[in-house]
């Protein structure tokens, strides 16, 4: 990629030649773009299926097993990662690099993580993606890879600035605009495609009906199944119109749990009828919208499978309900097999075998690739899983790769990154969409919008959680900077998610002489010292504006603390925080409404603010 055009032409020709050698198709590099756009409409055609079956029949059993796996790998480069990443790869996978892993295990996909050092910057990500594709095409059967990540936006985000960061699902749910949801997906999808990520594990299709949900929460569009279904369909169409695969998750629905499946095995007690009413609609809508892939949940739903196996390993749920009842024939991918929820009942060597027997196609991120890969290989050799069964999954995976144009040209270019990622028009669209999501829940005495004439001198305090992508924030600084750009004098003071008595006293002292205090709150509980902070600041007589930067339920826990106004942003990424500052300053109208109900803290059986509640100026 550092050599620009000539290198790209060479790579493109290599891809065409490699695929032609396997498929018998001859594609001139100049015809690749036209072929790519045409292929999306005919990926299930008889000719394509025949050609893909020919590829599959020529694959060794080891190659076939590899195609089923999507694996993590450390490093910013496919062939030359940093020494620390080589050491991590050796310790966890027994290989030095991504290229070595692809050569040894023939994996069909790679997942990028920030913590695995895969996502430093757009040009680096694009070069890593190209290196991964080169390694795939160098195998005995040259095959491109599905490169995936969790780019939900909001609080789950692997690719950060300078890429465009969009409001997350619940923020979009608060905005209530299907066209905004679709546009956000379109922009995000185009930027992922430009850096060589062709499968996004988004949108979240869970209906969040449990305020105590520790793992979904604002990753969901809301608590109303029909509203969530409409937003899911819009995002699927947006992502996939940009040429990447979208993934609805977590089937059969992770929205009503108080257990995190990363650390335990949640049990959903919905009856079959409740499931059909609450959890099913968004997945049905995703399928109707042409979703390319669906991710399973590591949850137990006894009403759907009396054996009480995790859904990821449940044949009644995946083959019975998803495939047969809902008529879904796309790719089914597991949630990470390293999560505790799927490991509690069976050992790591049984999990991938049981997942395939249940109806899964892609096995995501097993804790030990060698153990899982060999377990599947042995299961096929022993006849526990037929080779015809894994051929079905491989055909689905290769059909998706065909639809995405990866057989035609899996490479991306430096020019494409510069033309697409973080462009002025994309960033402006993100700002406008975010403005339409900011939700005003309280405005005592019409303190907002804050006039620069009477409330120019501001203090911004509160929680500064780590940036989801590692590239934004901290929130108090972002808010103070945004107010400064709007003509206010603003000072930032980080007080944390559990402010000490000393920090609270420091904030109270800093509030002296200020015209207003803005407090960023983060998941306030009944015993949280964030309540003490807000009370102490309000007692100074300076108007206190609280901004819930994650869950919108904070307002209920802050009742009686004396705040003057409250807003919800649903995430602490800069785009949401800047929008909140513009709303507070009156440069934008608050247009968001609650996509979930907020219950009273003193009596959760009563609703403080219902779905659809939101104030305007």
């Amino acid at each position: 990629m550092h050599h620009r055009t000539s290198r790209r032409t060479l790579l493109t020709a290599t891809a065409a030649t490699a695929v032609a050698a396997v498929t018998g198709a001859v594609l001139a590099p100049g015809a690749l773009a036209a072929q790519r756009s045409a292929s999306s409409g005919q990926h299930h055609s008889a000719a394509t299926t025949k050609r893909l079956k020919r590829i599959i029949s020529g694959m060794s059993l080891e190659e076939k097993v590899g195609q089923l796996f999507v694996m993590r790998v450390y490093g910013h480069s496919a062939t030359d990662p940093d020494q620390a990443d080589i050491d991590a790869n050796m310790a966890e996978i027994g290989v030095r690099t991504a290229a070595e892993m692809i050569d040894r295990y023939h994996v069909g996909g790679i997942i990028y993580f920030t913590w695995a050092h895969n996502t430093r910057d757009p040009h680096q990500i694009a070069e890593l993606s190209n290196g991964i594709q080169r390694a795939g095409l160098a195998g005995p059967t040259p095959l491109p890879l599905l490169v995936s990540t969790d780019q939900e936006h909001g609080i789950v985000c692997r690719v950060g600035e300078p890429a465009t960061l969009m409001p997350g699902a619940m923020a979009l749910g608060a905005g209530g605009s299907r066209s905004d949801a679709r546009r956000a997906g379109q922009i995000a999808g185009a930027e992922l495609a430009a850096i060589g990520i062709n499968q996004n594990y988004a949108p979240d299709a869970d209906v969040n009906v449990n305020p105590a949900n520790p793992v979904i929460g604002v990753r969901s569009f809301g608590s109303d199944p029909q509203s969530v279904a409409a937003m899911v369909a819009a995002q699927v169409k947006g992502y996939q119109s940009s040429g990447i695969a979208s993934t609805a998750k977590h089937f059969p629905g992770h929205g009503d749990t108080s257990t995190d499946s990363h650390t335990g095995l949640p049990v959903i007690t919905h009856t079959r009828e409740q499931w059909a009413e609450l959890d099913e609609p968004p997945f049905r809508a995703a399928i109707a919208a042409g979703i390319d892939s669906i991710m399973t949940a590591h949850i137990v739903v006894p009403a759907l499978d009396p054996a009480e196996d995790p859904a990821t390993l449940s044949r009644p749920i995946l083959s019975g309900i998803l495939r047969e009842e809902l008529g879904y024939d796309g790719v089914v991918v597991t949630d990470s097999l390293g999560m505790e929820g799927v490991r509690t009942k069976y050992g790591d060597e049984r999990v991938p075998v049981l997942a395939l027997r249940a109806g899964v196609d892609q096995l995501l991120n097993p804790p030990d690739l060698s153990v899982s890969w060999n377990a599947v290989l042995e299961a096929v050799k022993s006849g526990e899983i037929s080779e015809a069964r894994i051929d079905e999954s491989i055909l689905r995976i290769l059909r998706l790769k065909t639809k995405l144009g990866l057989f035609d040209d899996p490479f991306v270019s430096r020019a494409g990154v510069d033309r697409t990622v973080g462009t002025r028009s994309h960033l402006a669209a993100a700002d406008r969409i975010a403005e339409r999501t900011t939700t005003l829940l309280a405005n005592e005495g019409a303190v907002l919008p804050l006039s620069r004439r009477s409330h120019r001198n501001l203090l911004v305090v509160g929680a500064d959680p780590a940036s989801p992508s590692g590239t934004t924030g901290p929130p108090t600084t972002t808010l103070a900077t945004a107010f400064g750009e709007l003509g206010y004098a603003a000072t930032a003071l980080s007080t944390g998610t559990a402010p000490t008595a000393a920090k609270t006293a420091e904030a109270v002292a800093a509030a002296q002489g200020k015209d207003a205090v803005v407090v960023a709150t983060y998941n306030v509980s009944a015993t949280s010292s964030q309540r003490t902070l807000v009370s102490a600041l309000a007692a100074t007589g300076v108007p206190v504006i609280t901004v819930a930067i994650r869950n919108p339920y904070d307002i209920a826990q802050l009742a009686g603390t004396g705040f003057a106004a409250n807003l919800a942003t649903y995430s602490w990424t800069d785009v949401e925080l800047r929008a909140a500052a513009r709303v507070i300053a009156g440069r934008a109208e608050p247009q968001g409404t609650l996509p979930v109900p907020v219950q009273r803290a003193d009596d959760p059986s009563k609703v403080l603010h219902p779905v659809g509640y939101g104030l305007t100026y």
Side-chain angles (χ1 to χ4, degrees), residues 542-608:
V542 177
V544 173
I545 296 124
T546 55
V547 181
I549 61 172
R550 184 168 179 163
N551 290 337
Y553 312 115
D554 287 3
I555 187 170
Q557 297 293 351
L558 294 173
T561 56
F563 64 83
N566 174 279
L567 300 95
T569 64
Y570 310 97
S571 172
W572 59 98
T573 299
D574 290 5
V575 69
E576 280 109 328
L577 298 176
R578 287 194 307 266
R582 289 194 297 279
V583 168
I584 290 168
R587 300 293 181 87
E589 288 283 328
Q591 295 178 50
T593 60
L594 282 173
V596 291
V598 173
Q599 280 117 342
R600 280 173 48 171
D602 58 349
D603 184 359
S605 68
K606 294 193 174 129
V607 171
L608 175 65

Side-chain angles (χ1 to χ4, degrees), residues 459 461 493 502-514 533 536-537 540:
L459 173 67
V461 304
L493 171 65
K503 267 291 170 200
T504 297
E506 188 184 346
V508 166
Q512 303 303 320
K514 295 290 189 283
L533 172 70
L537 287 166
T540 65

Side-chain angles (χ1 to χ4, degrees), residues 374-406:
N374 282 299
V376 173
L377 190 65
E378 284 309 309
V380 179
K381 284 180 175 174
S382 71
E384 183 183 1
I385 298 176
S386 71
E387 195 163 348
R389 163 66 193 90
I390 65 167
D391 286 355
E392 274 176 41
S393 285
I394 297 164
L395 181 58
R396 286 194 191 100
I397 292 164
L398 296 189
R399 270 180 179 159
L400 180 52
K401 292 179 179 183
T402 303
K403 180 192 171 187
L404 298 176
L406 300 178

